[in-house]
Amino acid sequence: MEYAIDYYSEGVEQEILALPDTLAARYVVLTRRMVAVGPNLGEPHTKSMGDGLLELRLKGAEGIARVFYCTQVGRRIVMLHSFIKKTSRTPPRELEIALNRMKEVKHGHTR
């Protein structure tokens, strides 16, 4: 049985699809694999950020991007937030956005 990928909002989906070409292509490849085998692809592709938040790690010719996501009951993967990395560390604001959205999703308050 396959997994389903959902998005926190249409805006999040549009941001992800608007990533530079090689990053968007990497996203498509990795999410197809996630649909088939599940949300945890292991490093270097995915990483647990704690408390149920996971990170999809994208690397391409244009740089590095991250997509935060969580899982829901019923084989559902919810993409919460994406950003292009400009430093080696994840900016606290980006992590905070993803954590807040995950809380909303887990408590049934989606947009």
Side-chain angles (χ1 to χ4, degrees), residues 56-93:
L56 185 60
R57 304 161 67 104
L58 309 174
K59 197 172 192 177
E62 296 97 348
I64 296 172
R66 298 290 188 253
V67 179
F68 290 115
Y69 65 98
C70 65
T71 59
Q72 295 261 238
V73 175
R75 294 181 171 257
R76 191 170 155 235
I77 300 167
V78 182
M79 300 300 172
L80 302 168
H81 180 60
S82 69
F83 70 100
I84 294 179
K85 277 188 91 167
K86 294 180 175 42
T87 64
S88 61
R89 300 184 68 104
T90 296
R93 178 77 184 120

Side-chain angles (χ1 to χ4, degrees), residues 90-109:
T90 296
R93 178 77 184 120
E94 305 294 350
L95 189 56
E96 184 182 330
I97 291 169
L99 287 168
N100 287 335
R101 289 179 178 178
M102 182 177 71
K103 287 177 191 165
E104 288 181 35
V105 167
K106 297 280 187 184
H107 293 90
H109 306 293

Side-chain angles (χ1 to χ4, degrees), residues 5-35:
I5 293 184
D6 294 324
Y7 295 87
Y8 173 79
S9 67
E10 191 174 315
V12 169
E13 184 176 9
Q14 293 305 314
E15 282 176 17
I16 293 170
L17 296 175
L19 286 169
D21 291 346
T22 61
L23 296 171
R26 193 78 189 127
Y27 174 81
V28 169
V29 168
L30 292 176
T31 53
R32 282 184 181 161
R33 192 179 307 166
M34 290 168 78
V35 166

